[in-house]
Amino acid sequence: MTSHLTEDEYHRLARGYDENPRKSLSLNAETYTDPRWHKLDQNAIISRSWQWVCHVEKLRDPGSYLTTVIAEQPIALVRDRDGQLRGFYNVCKHRAHELLSGEGLATRIMCPYHAWTYRLDGQLARAPHTEHLDDFNIDDICLDQVKVEEFCGFIYVNLDPDADSLSQQSGDLETEIRHWAPDIDQLTFGHRLTYEIKSNWKNVVDNFLECYHCPTAHKDFCELVDMDTYKVTTYGIYSSHMADAGNSPNAAYDVSNATVKTHAVWWLWPTTCLMRYPGRSSMIVLNIIPAGPDKTYETYDFFLETPEPDATELDAMRYLDEVLQVEDINLVESVQRGMNTPAFQQGRIVHDPDGSGKSEHAVHHFHGWVLDAYEKSVTR
């Protein structure tokens, strides 16, 4: 598997894309189906972008830790004694054993293999039976760090040591989110839904970024929100998707007593989707995880005013799990099957200059970022 492109390969993959969405085709089907480009996606995109991990509540206290996997790499996040948030490769410097597992509280990090012990800042503190070694100094050994950042109530990781901070890269995103969700830091975890999808991750993102398919495929959703108010706007590394809640009864879930009347959604390059549905104050985080050229994992985490969902939130979870996700998964799996045939190479981007939800300009925006990442990986 390759993690780089030749110039000829890049130009083949970029053929048909135009910076003007009114003239552009979509990404070449090869980028969704060829196993060679899964490794490219991991190295050129996932490992060089800010990846969502959890709500800040998981790592508020000194000694709290959490483990995860980013771009197929094991990562540990720790709040040290001084309150500083730190990220490391979850790998012992002695024989590469996993150091931490799951989540919890710790006063130190001890490897379960040979008991090498690290402080919470990653510095080696003890290595048993090494006092007779030549040229060995525990002060010279520290866990390899990764960039970690608190942003808008959540914690993100970036494996690129040269990456700018998420707050720098994302422009006005924090201001926009906090306008619509001012209590985001105080929300608490309520529920998780998980899915395994037989489709490339880029198909999953494409589907999320347009509501052109909604009147056909999501009739209940088109009653939940007022599609006449649906507006999609692209900015830098994110896009926003805004609509008013519907005013009439709908088959999705009851929003007649909702305190939050706006459907406010943000996509953050490349795989994070933040959603504030009508109802009580809440935030749903969709994390899209590439697992293979034709396999994607999704997690939907619901952050609520209280740990226990109320009746409306339970109904919303049921709707998302039993209706909306079933519809969307069927769509993207069908698209993946179609892309694996000789009958499809690229399709036309449908563009509405008014930025309505029934437009694919946010998909085009995403494709531009993919091709930009691919171009940076070209070997010259």
Side-chain angles (χ1 to χ4, degrees), residues 8 23 37 59 79 90-91 106 122 124 162 177 237 255 263 286-287 310 347 370:
D8 286 345
K23 298 180 178 180
W37 311 138
L59 295 166
R79 183 78 67 177
N90 192 20
V91 176
L124 183 64
D162 299 320
I177 291 176
I237 65 167
V255 295
H263 172 79
L286 163 58
N287 189 28
D310 67 12
V370 171

Side-chain angles (χ1 to χ4, degrees), residues 59-182:
L59 295 166
R60 277 202 175 109
D61 300 326
S64 55
Y65 70 86
L66 177 146
T67 61
T68 188
V69 176
I70 304 291
E72 301 175 351
Q73 302 298 311
I75 302 298
L77 304 181
V78 178
R79 183 78 67 177
D80 72 16
R81 292 176 182 270
D82 297 324
Q84 184 172 345
L85 186 62
R86 297 182 180 273
F88 310 104
Y89 283 93
N90 192 20
V91 176
C92 183
K93 301 300 286 185
H94 174 223
R95 293 278 295 281
H97 196 280
E98 181 183 79
L99 291 165
L100 295 168
S101 61
E103 58 187 71
L105 288 170
T107 58
R108 58 182 181 167
I109 302 170
M110 187 177 78
C111 180
Y113 196 6
H114 299 101
W116 280 35
T117 303
Y118 304 82
R119 297 197 296 265
L120 297 182
D121 64 1
Q123 179 63 50
L124 183 64
R126 179 176 178 269
H129 310 299
T130 58
E131 60 272 13
H132 301 300
L133 298 182
D134 295 335
D135 302 319
F136 181 84
N137 185 346
I138 63 172
D139 293 336
D140 295 335
I141 298 175
C142 188
L143 299 178
D144 286 15
Q145 300 199 28
V146 298
K147 286 180 174 281
V148 59
E149 185 172 344
E150 295 180 42
F151 180 82
C152 262
F154 294 107
I155 291 172
Y156 295 79
V157 165
N158 196 321
L159 303 188
D160 181 0
D162 299 320
D164 290 334
S165 71
L166 180 53
S167 60
Q168 288 176 298
Q169 289 188 28
S170 60
D172 294 330
L173 177 59
E174 179 165 12
T175 300
E176 189 171 335
I177 291 176
R178 291 192 182 279
H179 170 76
W180 293 103

Side-chain angles (χ1 to χ4, degrees), residues 209-216 218 221-222 225-232 241-242 349-363:
L209 288 175
E210 50 92 354
C211 218
Y212 182 40
H213 69 280
C214 292
T216 306
H218 300 315
F221 180 82
C222 291
V225 303
D226 181 354
M227 288 300 295
D228 290 337
T229 66
Y230 204 118
K231 180 82 170 178
V232 179
H241 308 249
M242 302 289 176
I349 293 291
V350 174
H351 179 250
D352 176 359
D354 292 330
S356 76
K358 299 173 186 178
S359 175
E360 296 176 320
H361 58 286
V363 178

Side-chain angles (χ1 to χ4, degrees), residues 32 196-208 210 213 218 294 296 298 325-340:
Y32 297 81
E196 180 179 321
I197 303 172
K198 297 174 184 176
S199 182
N200 186 270
W201 71 278
K202 295 187 292 297
N203 266 330
V204 177
V205 175
D206 287 349
N207 182 72
F208 181 87
E210 50 92 354
H213 69 280
H218 300 315
D294 57 0
T296 300
E298 282 186 337
Q325 273 296 94
V326 172
E327 293 168 344
D328 274 331
I329 290 172
N330 286 338
L331 291 172
V332 297
E333 290 186 344
S334 176
V335 168
Q336 187 71 26
R337 292 191 296 270
M339 285 186 169
N340 275 290

Side-chain angles (χ1 to χ4, degrees), residues 274-316:
L274 306 167
M275 299 175 282
R276 190 167 171 88
Y277 274 21
R280 267 201 315 178
S281 180
S282 66
M283 187 66 74
I284 308 169
V285 181
L286 163 58
N287 189 28
I288 298 168
I289 306 165
D294 57 0
K295 183 190 291 186
T296 300
Y297 296 118
E298 282 186 337
T299 59
Y300 277 81
D301 285 296
F302 293 77
F303 298 95
L304 312 171
E305 293 181 11
T306 58
E308 294 299 324
D310 67 12
T312 297
E313 288 160 347
L314 286 171
D315 207 25

